[in-house]
Amino acid sequence: ELSASQQGEMDGAIVMLQEAMDQGHVHAALNVGGIYNWGEGAAIDYPQAMAAYKVGGEGGESMCQWQVGIMYLNGRGVDVDYKQARAWIEKAAAQDDSDAICQLGAMYLEGLGVDVDYKQARALFEKAAAQDNTTALGQLGNVYFEGWGVTPSWRRAREYFERAIELGCSGVVESMQTFTKDIQEYAPLMDKRVEIHGTSRADMNGKRGVATDFHPMDTEDGTTWRYTVK
C-alpha cells in the first residue's frame, strides 16, 4: 500500500500518462491500461483499462491489442466475445507478438470462437516457441504428450517441457513432475537398454538398443503401447 505522498506522486504520474495517451503516445496508453487493469497505483477499473488499451491498440501497439483481446476472451469488464477477442489477438499476432501467437494457438486448441484445429494450433505454438515463448513450449509439450493431432511422442514432450523450465517457466514444473511420474508408471523402459522379443516383425526380434521414445496410442481395441528403440 502506498503512503499518502507516494499516492500523490502516482496520481500525478497517471495524469501525465493520460495526457500523453490523449496526444497519441501508445506506450503511455499501455501503461495507463496496466495501471487500471492490475490496480497498480489506482483502483482496478476494467472499463478504463479497456479504453486505454484500445487507444494503444488502434495506434498499432501490439501489447495493447493483445490485452484488448484477452479482456474480451476472459470477460474482464466486458461480455465474453470470442469474435472480438480473435480479431484483436490476430492484430497483435500479425506483428509477431509471441504471446498473441500462442494465445491464438490456444483458441484453436480449445475451439474458442473457432473450430478445433490441432494442426493450426500446433503451427502457432511452434511459431511462438521459436521466439522462446515458454507458454508455447509448455503447450507443445502437452500436444505431444496427449497426441493432439500428432503421434504421441513422450520424448518430444519432455524436450519441450525441459526447454520451458530451462528458460525459467515455473508453471511447467508441475506438468514435468506429473509427466515424470507417468513415465515411471507407464513407460518404465524409456531411456533404458532393451532387447526386443515377441514382435510380429521378424527383423525386429532380437534387436538391442535404447528405448528413446514412447507412444501410447488409443485404438478401437484399447490403448496400445509402443517404444522407439535405437
Side-chain angles (χ1 to χ4, degrees), residues 126-202:
E126 288 174 345
K127 185 175 181 180
Q131 298 184 44
D132 284 340
N133 184 288
T134 56
T135 302
L137 287 162
Q139 287 282 29
L140 284 169
N142 292 328
V143 165
Y144 281 97
F145 174 65
E146 299 289 352
W148 289 326
V150 296
T151 299
S153 170
W154 285 19
R155 174 187 61 79
R156 296 195 69 178
R158 181 169 59 186
E159 289 172 352
Y160 284 121
F161 288 145
E162 288 177 341
R163 178 58 177 159
I165 292 170
E166 180 186 329
L167 291 171
C169 183
S170 59
V172 177
V173 172
E174 186 175 345
S175 296
M176 186 64 181
Q177 290 171 339
T178 300
F179 177 61
T180 300
K181 290 179 181 178
D182 285 339
I183 289 178
Q184 293 169 349
E185 182 174 356
Y186 300 110
L189 298 180
M190 193 166 167
D191 300 323
K192 294 181 173 60
R193 291 195 62 80
V194 298
E195 183 173 320
I196 300 172
H197 293 284
T199 178
S200 59
R201 289 182 54 185

Side-chain angles (χ1 to χ4, degrees), residues 27-78:
H27 293 300
L30 177 62
N31 287 325
V32 171
I35 287 168
Y36 289 113
N37 194 16
W38 308 112
E40 297 177 345
I44 288 175
D45 187 328
Y46 292 138
Q48 282 270 58
M50 174 68 91
Y53 284 143
K54 281 189 172 180
V55 169
E58 288 164 357
E61 170 53 56
S62 65
M63 290 185 68
C64 285
Q65 293 166 345
W66 177 58
Q67 287 290 357
V68 172
I70 292 298
M71 294 186 80
Y72 276 119
L73 185 66
N74 296 328
R76 190 178 296 162
V78 292

